[in-house]
Structures are given as C-alpha cells and as structure tokens.
Amino acid sequence: MRIPTATYRIQFYGGFPFEAARKLVPYLADLGISDIYASPIFKARAGSTHGYDVVDPTQFNPEVGTPEQFDALVATLQEHQMGWLQDIVPNHMAYDTENQFLVDILEHGPDSEFFDFFDIEWNHAYESFRGRVLAPLLGNFYGECLEKGEIQLKYDEAGLSIHYYSLRLPVKIESYVHFIVHNLGQLARSLGRRHPDFIKLLGVLYLIKNIPSETKGRERYDQIAFVKGLLWELYHQNSEIQAFFDANLIAFNGEVGNSDSFNGLESLLSEQFYRLSFWKVGAEEINYRRFFTVNELISVKVEELRVFNKTHSLIEQAVKQGKITGLRIDHIDGLYDPTQYLERLREKVGDTYITVEKILELDETLPSHWPIQGTSGYEYLNYLNGVFCQTENEQAMQEVYTRFTGSRLSFEDLVTEKKHLIIEKNLGGDVDNLAQQLKRIAGQTRKGSDFTAYGLKRALTEVLAVFPVYRTYIASQSVSEADCSYIQAAIEKAKGHIPLLLNELHYIECLLLRKDEEHLTEEQKEERLHFVMKFQQMTGPLMAKGLEDTALYIFNRLLSLNEVGGNPGHFGITAERFHTFNRKQGDRWPHGMNTTATHDTKRGEDVRARLNVLSEIPTGWEEQVQRWSALNQAKKTEMNGRALPDRNDEYFLYQTLIGAFPFTEAEFPEFVQRVKDYVVKAVREAKVHTAWLRPDNTYEESYLQFVEGILHHAEFLQAFRPFQQRVAEYGMFNSLAQVLLKNASPGVPDLYQGNELWDLSLVDPDNRRPVDYERRISFLHEIQERSQHDILGLIDEMLAVKEDGRIKLFLTHRVLQARKANLALLQSGDYQPLAVSGKLANYIIAFARSHEGQVALAIVPRFLTSLIQSGELPLGEQVWQDTQIHLPAKMPATWTNGITAQPLQCQQTLPIAEALGHFPVALLLAQ
C-alpha cells in the first residue's frame, strides 16, 4: 500500500482544471508533497465550484478536463513519484436535469432501469406523492408558478418536457396521449382523416396506448424511442402537424390571468412520476433522502450492489490502472451500512489507501473493524487547535462573554435546543417518515399497540435531539458496547426531558438495542433492523445541522473552538490529553490524516491561531471589546427599541475581524466585502434573527451597514489596529507551532491549497478563492537557493518581516523535506511525550518519535503573550531561562535541527534556549 508522505488538497473546478494543476506539480514536488488530494472530479452540475453536486460518477467533469488531460496530469505526477488521493461522493448526487440516472426514473418510474438508484420512498403514507417522487425545486408555491406561466411544456427531438427556468423534467410516454388527443378533431378536419400522416399519428397513439406493461428493460426503451422518433419525423415533415403541436403547446401553457387555462397542464403534471412543489415543502414533507437539508442533492442507494458497482466503475478503473492511489470517502455517516460499504470498497480497490470523512466527538473512537487507514483528520485538527487555548482561563473568558452578551446558555443545552429547531424547521418531513415507520412497527405487537403516533413521534424527536454522537453502526442483531452506551445515554437524557413518555422511550430503546425480538417473525425483525438503520442515517444530518451549522454560529465565547468536529463547550485541550490522543493514534491509526484546514472548516488555520491568543489575555480582550463597542454604538440601527445587530453578533464580528484582518492595505477593500458576505451567511446559519428559509432583510441590512460603518470608521480602526496587530503577531507563532506538530505527529499531514502561506480565510466559499501560485513558486525558489548557503541569514530576515508568509512556507518546506528523509521514523515511529521542567514548563509542547534507532524531537512553544513583548522573538536564554527537556535514557547526544540545519549537543537534558536558539520551533534529528 502506498501511504502518502504528505497530501495537498486541490479544489478542481472550471477555473482550476487539470491543466492548471499539471503546471503546479513541480512546485508541489519541490515543496515536499507526495500526493495530490483532489476534490471530486466527476461530472457535476454545470458551473459547480466544488464538485460535490455530482450528476454522473462514471465520467470526468468536462469543465475540469478531458480523460486525456487527466492522464497527462497523472503522467506528470508519476514523473515526480507523486500519487493521487481522490475524494469520492458515494452518498448523494445532484437532483438536476443533467443527472440522467434520475431523469430516467422521472420519465419511466418503476420501469426505469435505474429505479432502485436513489433513496426514494415510493409507497409514502401521503397520497399526494405516493408513487411519485417529490421535486421541491420551485421558487414559489406551485399554483403561483403554474399560473404565472413559469412552468412550461415544450417539445423537441427528445420529446415532451416540463421546463422551469433552467430545470427540465421529462414527460412519461403515457402522457403523450393527453397532449396528442387535445384538439385532434381539428387536425383531422384540416389534414383529412385519410391523410397518411394523420393515420401515422393515430398509429403512434395506438402504440403508446398499447405498450404492454409487462414489457421491461431494453425492449420497452426501444419501443418508446421508436414512438418518439415517429412523432419527431411527423413534426418535421408535416407543417400542419407541426402547427398542431405548437398550438397544443400554447394551449397547455395557458394564459396568465386565466386560471382555467392551466387546467390541461396541471392535469398532465398530475400524471408524472414526480410532483413539482415549492422548495420549502421539502422541509416538512419529503419522500426522498437528501444530503442534510439540501433538496438539490438526492441520496444514492449505494447499499444496492448494482448501484455500488455502477457508481464506482470509473473509480475502480482508475485505481486498477494506478492513476488513483488513494481514496477519501465523503460523508461516510450518510450511508445505510458504512461497514458493508467499506468492505465492498476494499474488495474492489484492493490494497489502496482509504480514509473517511468522519466527525468524532472528543472521547469517541473510530470503529476499529473498518478496513481503512483512518479519518480525514478533523479530530486531529481539534486536538491540535485546542492545545493552544489556555484552559485555565475558561471561567474568565466565560465571564467576558456573559458580561458583553448576557448569554449564560451552556453549549450542550444550546445544541439540543437547535437540534429541536432543525427538526421543526428543516427535517420535519424526514422525522415524520421515521415516526410513521415506528408507528407501524409498534402496532405489530401488544407491547406497542397502544402507543399513539403523537407520543411515539414526540419521544423519537427527543432521542434524536439529545443523541450524543453523529451516529451508531448497528447492522445486525449485535450491538457494540460503544453503540449501546450512546443509545442508553440518549434515552436516559430524554427521560429527564419528557418524563410522561417513559414507556415510549423504553420501547424505542429496546428497538435500537435489538431487544425483545425472540417471538417476532424474520420479516418483523428485518423491519426493525431497517428502522434502526434509517434512524442512524438521521442522527448524523441532525447533528451536523444543529451543531455545525447552527450552534457554532451562536455560541461565540471563543470562535477558534467553533470548528467542524469541535465542541466549544470544552475550553481547550491540555498537553497531557494531546499527548494521549497522539499516542493512541500512533498505535491504532498511524496513517490517518492530520489536517488543519479543509474546504469545510469554519475558519482558516491561521485565523484560529490568532483567536487562540485571546484565551491568554481575557482582561485585555474585554477592555478592547468594550471600548470598540462604545465607539461603534452610533453605527447600529435602532429598530423597535433594540439596537441591531445584537450584542452576540457584534461579539462574533469583533473576533472575526481580529482573526481575518489582512496584513496589507491593498487587501482591505476586498476584505470589507468578504466580511459582509460572511456575516450574512453566519446570521442565517445561526437562525436567531434571520435564516435561509426565512430571511429578515431588515436585520441583515442593519448588520451590513454596521460592518460597512465600523470598517470605515477612522476612530474605531485607530483603536482596533494596534491590538489586532499584536494578536496577529503572537498568532503567527501559534501557526508555526501548528505546522511542526501536524507534520511530526503520528499521521499523514494534509495541506489545504494555498495554506503554505498565511491562511486568513473564512468559511466556504471564501476559502475557495483563487490561490496566487506564482508568488508561492517565487518564494520557494528563493528559500531553496538561500537555504543552501545562508540559512540563518534567511531565517533572521523572514522573522523580521513575517507578514508575507515566507516564514510559514520555509517551515513547511523544511519539515516536509525532513519527513521525506526520515519517512519510516515519522510514519511508523513510537510516540513519547517529553518531560519539561522549569517555571515555563507549561509553555512547551515536546515529544519524541523513535524507530529502529532513529529519533526525532518536536518542540514548540505556546502562550507567548506573557513571555515576550510585541516585536520580540521567543528565542534564547533570555526568554526560556531554566526551561529544559528531560530526555529518556539512551537518547543520542548529537542532533541536527531539521529546520535550521544547525548541530546541537546535549546530555540527558536539553535546554529550550538552545533548541529554540534561532527559530521559534524545533525538529531535532538524531545523528
């Protein structure tokens, strides 16, 4: 198996195709990257900027490049001994006209060869879309869209189709009768009943009416294609038939202002295998599984072997040809049976590196039986980030937050509250479907026969809302100890919230734990297992929407902790806990990914590094934020006795500005617009004053005016910039420490595109802005050249002017070169925390990696605000005094600093002043 040395994430889209990446390969190879980590490259919706809205996984995205261009890129990578880690999307595809698998279902219904391709409940309890799939894609109520003439029937060589702006949906063949017989008598009179073309048209009608229902597969498709071909031939060859069709189109499309004129089109629409509706309907009534709450992403039934093989055919081919050397699985928790999926994938791709996107809670562990190398690294991100948050100041920071905002709500309670909100406003239809299934099961036995639909749904809702992890992994009669504990914890907490429904909760607990099934039929057992597995598919999206996309935009105590996979209710991570995590990772998942930024992270890695500095200075932070608020009070909008934006959103904004404020004046105008775009997204995600479903233009405009006002308020900027610049300076040292730890800890370091320089991005799409690679290439060439003959002079120069990011690129390059030269050590070496003594011991994180006589020491500082003044460097004896590392027995005495290339001698103890004599972090390699 090829284990990457280091990966580099590239976001492919029309603006950055295969050819652009091919030109980048020499730079990435020089940097020390071993594998491109590619965003989805399969055919996506036209204009997609991220690739997760796949319409056809069996072909490459033509906007990104041709198969030949892909091959050329792979060949260039292989010339540089580099691999390709591919992000794949097994859970969902786009609900879009370009999705021909779905379009085929919409046209042919149960007769479609892809009928089992998507997770659709055709036998839904609601009669209005039983046997039809909901299409909640309209921008307004169905009736209004229809009578405004926005829904149109059109005809071309492909046949009849329904159009709504760019959306095009097919018309099933049986409905052609409805269209053709309209005013057919008039055509008979004008053309003549004995006219050959009229007789042909009658023959087509006969064929449509008599396509046998038992005709299946290719024969049925051929018959329909034959009928469509005859119609198109008649339409093109006979002007009167063409005029007849065109007149019918006008008649069906109605006359705006004449409601009855749309009856024909409505009748035709009612016959289809889909039901068009307002997009908001999907929040309350739905009969297909979506990706989270996104109507435009329909989930794939990849648990069906035929579907799995079809959707993975191109991936399998590329792996077997050696073009793709690793896979990252998107949203593993969305799958019906993740374990089965991974086992099938492993069988298909053999000895290939595989990681999964999986969010783990703080003390949660990855299922040990999964045949993978680990996760894509969110748990590492949060442990690494947390170690730079000063845990001792939690109470002080909480008091600052409470005094400014008045908020006293715990994060745990907030998450439960917001999960209830998501169920009510966004996932009501999904939960209703699950509750109906639960009611059917309950009615099968005497123990559940008296449970009402209301009581069961209320109990089910509470269990979902308090569920402590993203999901469990029950797929048989057996239930793991971990899954049992999560279910029992949820039930116990739910009992405290709804004590009048204890019987219903006990019943749900028994179902989830697969208890009391001794006297059931096999069919009943299967139905219960299906309920459990659908329940498991629900907890993940609910956690993601309630926690990641809502609570993390409300609980603003310290925004650096508000990250994907994070829990800001836990204020930082101790050094001991960080070491324990690393040691466990090294033992069980040594080749999982270590990331510090992804396309999904809420903030750039260097934004978080800056914000962590605030945890060191709660008093100074409060003084500043109170001062800024007083200066900016006049910039707020007064509305019904309240000032907009509210204090919590104001607190959020100040942290955002601290974290993302640019280094140069040239970036400032763009920065203002970026912040304005960001705060609108943030407040909509928070769902307190406004939301995507119910935008409050007044609040949003007031917030935008406030942003614009304060960022052009000279007195505020004069007060703000000195403090911000001080925080930014300390933040850069945190960033450098992050770089070293990520590369030296057990796991595969992952670098997000462009992050070799400072990354002050906000949430997507801000973090997908174009990267200036010419600048990075120029910097790297300079670094390579000067490191050969004047490395200390180069370091001094870069430390004097850190703002351009060269210092981060330099460190990244040096540690990646060290990884390449000491690969077995840093991939497989044991992990040992190092004891630190002296009065500044808590300010140092240090550990050793050892393997077959090789040893490396990683040493980084933290909490520097109390050690050095602004403008000073955390170097030498004046700073570190008596602080020293106690080396384990039999450690070498001679070392080389992999960053500075300087030798170092020590016996049993290593003074930090010597290790950090020239550079703020150290990677010492035994000689």
Side-chain angles (χ1 to χ4, degrees), residues 5 134 159 179 241 255 259 519 552 666 787 799:
T5 303
L134 192 70
F179 177 77
I241 290 179
E255 178 186 350
S259 180
H519 304 295
L552 290 187
S787 294
L799 286 174

Side-chain angles (χ1 to χ4, degrees), residues 298-316:
I298 184 169
S299 294
V300 178
K301 289 186 75 174
V302 74
E303 62 269 21
E304 298 289 336
L305 185 58
R306 188 176 74 91
V307 177
F308 173 86
N309 288 332
K310 180 71 173 179
T311 56
H312 288 69
S313 57
L314 180 58
I315 296 161
E316 180 183 20

Side-chain angles (χ1 to χ4, degrees), residues 549 553 599-602 652 674-687 690-692 700 703-704 762-768:
D549 293 343
Y553 288 93
H599 58 287
D600 280 332
T601 42
K602 302 298 184 186
F652 176 94
R674 287 172 51 215
V675 172
K676 290 167 71 173
D677 293 341
Y678 174 61
V679 298
V680 170
K681 178 169 183 172
V683 291
R684 287 185 179 180
E685 295 284 21
K687 306 171 191 66
T690 183
W692 297 105
E700 292 177 8
Y703 204 169
L704 290 174
L762 301 167
V763 76
D764 72 288
D766 191 68
N767 61 12
R768 287 188 270 115

Side-chain angles (χ1 to χ4, degrees), residues 358 360 375-384 581 585 593:
K358 165 64 188 165
L360 294 164
T375 75
S376 56
Y378 283 118
E379 68 277 17
Y380 183 81
L381 181 157
N382 283 288
Y383 270 90
L384 175 62
F581 169 80
Q585 288 294 98
M593 297 176 77

Side-chain angles (χ1 to χ4, degrees), residues 554-587:
I554 300 172
F555 188 81
N556 299 330
R557 182 171 66 180
L558 183 63
L559 292 184
S560 55
L561 304 180
N562 292 27
E563 196 47 85
V564 178
N567 185 333
H570 292 275
F571 197 79
I573 298 292
T574 64
E576 292 73 24
R577 198 164 188 175
F578 176 70
H579 289 312
T580 299
F581 169 80
N582 268 343
R583 193 156 41 196
K584 288 180 178 178
Q585 288 294 98
D587 291 343

